[in-house]
C-alpha cells in the first residue's frame, strides 16, 4: 500500500463565522469560483439522477435499482483508489464514514427511491430542493447559533419557491411518496453537514469510496429481505435500457456527483454548498420535461425564480 500524506485543507473548508454580512452565497462564489462551478455541475448531475431513477423504476423494483446504482457508484471510486493506493482511515474516521454512508446513500436515496415509485420526477425534484432549508437549519443547530434574519428570509423564499414549483399539487397536501422523498432529503441534509467535517482531514476520493462502500453494505439486508420475502429482484417489463440507466446514469452519476461535491466543499463553506443545492430542482424539472415528457406550468417557472432569489439573501455569516 502507498501511504499518502494527509491533504492540507484550505481555511474555507472549516466553518467560521464572518463579521461581514454584506455578501453571501454570491460573494463566496466569486472568491471560490472553482468550487462553485463544481457544485453547479454536481447539482446538474443530481437533477439528471432524479429523471434517470424515475425511468429505471418503470422497469425495475426500487431495491434492485438502489442496489445496481450503489454497486456501480462504489466500484468507480474504489477502482481509482486501489489503483492509486491509500492508507485506511483511522477507526474514528471509519465510524464517521459509516454514518455518512448510512445517511446518504442508504437512507437518503433509499427513501427517495421508494417515494419516487409513487410520484412524478418533477415533484420529486421539487421536494429535493428543500434540502438547502434543512442544511441551514441543521447547521444552525450543530453550531448552536440562530440563523440571521437574512437566512430566515432566504429559507422562506426558497420554501415558497419549492411550494410554487409543486403547482396545484402542493395545495392538496403531501402523500406517502412525498413524505418518503422528504425523509430522504432530511437524511441528505444531515450527510451534507457531516461531509463538511469529514473532508477537513480526509481525501475526497477516500471519503467518496468509503461512503458508497458502506452504503452498499447497508443495502445488502434490504436485498436479502426482498429475496426472502418472495419479492422479485427484476420484473417482466424490464428492458436492457432500464438496467443501463440504473447502472450507468444513476450509479455512475452518483459517484461523479458525490466526488465533485466532496472536492468542492474543501474549497467552499459547507453551508454555501448546501444553499447552492437549491438549484437541483431547476435542473430536475428541465431534465424531466426534456427526457420524460413531463410538463411544467407558470407556477413552476415562478418557483424556480423564487428559489434563485432566495440564494441571494443568505449573508456571509450564514454561509461561512
Amino acid at each position: 500500500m502507498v501511504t499518502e500524506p494527509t491533504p492540507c485543507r484550505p481555511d474555507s473548508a472549516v466553518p467560521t463565522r464572518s463579521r461581514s454580512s454584506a455578501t453571501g452565497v454570491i460573494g463566496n462564489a466569486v472568491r471560490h469560483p472553482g468550487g462553485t462551478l463544481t457544485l453547479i455541475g454536481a447539482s446538474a448531475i443530481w437533477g439528471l439522477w432524479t429523471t434517470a431513477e424515475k425511468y429505471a423504476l418503470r422497469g425495475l423494483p426500487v431495491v434492485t435499482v438502489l442496489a445496481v446504482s450503489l454497486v456501480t457508484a462504489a466500484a468507480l471510486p474504489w477502482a481509482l483508489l486501489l489503483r492509486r493506493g491509500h492508507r485506511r482511515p483511522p477507526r474514528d474516521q471509519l465510524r464517521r464514514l459509516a454514518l455518512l454512508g448510512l445517511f446518504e446513500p442508504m437512507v437518503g436515496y433509499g427513501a427517495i427511491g421508494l417515494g419516487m415509485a409513487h410520484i412524478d420526477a418533477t415533484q420529486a425534484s421539487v421536494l429535493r430542493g428543500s434540502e438547502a432549508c434543512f442544511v441551514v437549519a441543521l447547521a444552525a443547530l450543530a453550531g448552536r447559533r440562530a440563523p440571521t434574519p437574512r437566512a430566515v428570509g432566504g429559507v422562506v423564499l426558497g420554501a415558497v419557491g419549492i411550494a410554487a414549483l409543486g403547482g396545484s399539487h402542493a395545495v392538496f397536501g403531501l402523500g406517502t411518496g412525498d413524505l418518503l422523498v422528504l425523509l430522504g432529503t432530511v437524511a441528505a441534509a444531515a450527510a451534507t453537514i457531516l461531509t463538511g467535517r469529514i473532508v477537513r482531514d480526509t481525501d475526497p476520493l477516500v471519503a467518496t469510496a468509503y461512503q458508497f462502500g458502506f452504503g452498499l453494505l447497508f443495502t445488502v439486508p434490504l436485498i436479502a429481505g426482498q429475496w426472502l420475502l418472495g419479492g422479485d429482484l427484476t420484473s417482466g417489463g424490464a428492458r436492457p435500457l432500464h438496467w443501463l440507466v440504473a447502472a450507468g446514469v444513476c450509479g455512475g452519476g452518483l459517484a461523479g456527483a458525490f466526488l465533485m461535491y466532496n472536492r468542492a466543499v474543501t474549497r467552499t463553506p459547507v453551508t454555501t454548498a448546501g444553499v447552492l443545492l437549491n438549484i437541483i430542482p431547476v435542473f430536475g424539472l428541465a431534465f424531466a420535461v426534456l427526457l420524460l415528457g413531463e410538463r411544467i406550468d407558470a407556477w413552476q417557472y415562478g418557483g424556480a425564480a423564487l428559489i434563485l432569489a432566495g440564494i441571494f439573501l443568505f449573508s456571509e455569516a450564514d454561509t461561512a
Side-chain angles (χ1 to χ4, degrees):
M1 284 291 185
V2 178
T3 302
E4 56 184 27
T6 301
C8 295
R9 299 298 171 203
D11 292 339
S12 62
V14 182
T16 56
R17 188 176 181 87
S18 171
R19 295 180 182 178
S20 171
S21 61
T23 59
V25 174
I26 304 306
N28 277 322
V30 172
R31 286 191 299 278
H32 312 288
T36 300
L37 291 174
T38 302
L39 287 168
I40 293 174
S43 296
I45 295 174
W46 275 317
L48 176 61
W49 176 88
T50 304
T51 299
E53 176 89 349
K54 183 63 179 180
Y55 176 81
L57 288 172
R58 290 177 177 177
L60 297 169
V62 174
V63 174
T64 301
V65 173
L66 179 63
V68 171
S69 300
L70 292 186
V71 166
T72 307
L76 292 176
W78 271 105
L80 294 174
L81 192 61
L82 294 176
R83 180 180 179 182
R84 190 183 70 181
H86 81 293
R87 180 177 60 188
R88 191 181 70 177
R91 184 172 298 179
D92 288 345
Q93 192 74 326
L94 280 176
R95 283 198 290 265
R96 289 198 290 175
L97 287 167
L99 184 61
L100 180 60
L102 177 64
F103 281 142
E104 192 177 39
M106 170 57 192
V107 175
Y109 283 90
I112 290 171
L114 287 170
M116 287 182 61
H118 304 284
I119 62 177
D120 291 338
T122 52
Q123 185 64 20
S125 296
V126 167
L127 294 170
R128 289 193 65 206
S130 62
E131 181 175 345
C133 303
F134 293 125
V135 167
V136 172
L138 291 175
L141 288 174
R144 296 182 179 180
R145 60 183 175 89
T148 68
R150 286 171 63 99
V152 174
V155 169
V156 170
L157 195 58
V160 172
I162 291 165
L165 280 172
S168 60
H169 176 89
V171 178
F172 299 105
L174 300 176
T176 301
D178 301 294
L179 293 174
L180 284 168
V181 172
L182 280 177
L183 172 62
T185 303
V186 173
T192 296
I193 302 300
L194 185 57
T195 298
R197 299 179 177 182
I198 289 175
V199 297
R200 296 178 197 170
D201 52 9
T202 303
D203 183 275
L205 179 59
V206 174
T208 305
Y210 277 90
Q211 177 180 4
F212 279 100
F214 280 117
L216 178 60
L217 182 64
F218 294 142
T219 306
V220 171
L222 291 180
I223 300 173
Q226 174 90 350
W227 180 71
L228 291 174
L229 292 174
D232 293 330
L233 297 181
T234 184
S235 64
R239 299 199 302 263
L241 187 57
H242 291 127
W243 292 96
L244 181 61
V245 169
V249 182
C250 296
L254 281 184
F258 273 90
L259 184 57
M260 292 168 68
Y261 178 85
N262 290 344
R263 288 192 183 281
V265 293
T266 66
R267 293 176 286 174
T268 305
V270 66
T271 44
T272 298
V275 171
L276 286 173
L277 295 178
N278 262 333
I279 62 177
I280 290 177
V282 179
F283 284 115
L285 286 172
F287 284 124
V289 170
L290 291 173
L291 301 178
L292 296 180
E294 297 183 8
R295 297 182 178 181
I296 58 176
D297 54 27
W299 279 88
Q300 293 166 322
Y301 282 115
L306 288 173
I307 286 174
L308 295 177
I311 293 176
F312 282 82
L313 276 182
F314 284 86
S315 68
E316 185 74 8
D318 299 299
T319 59

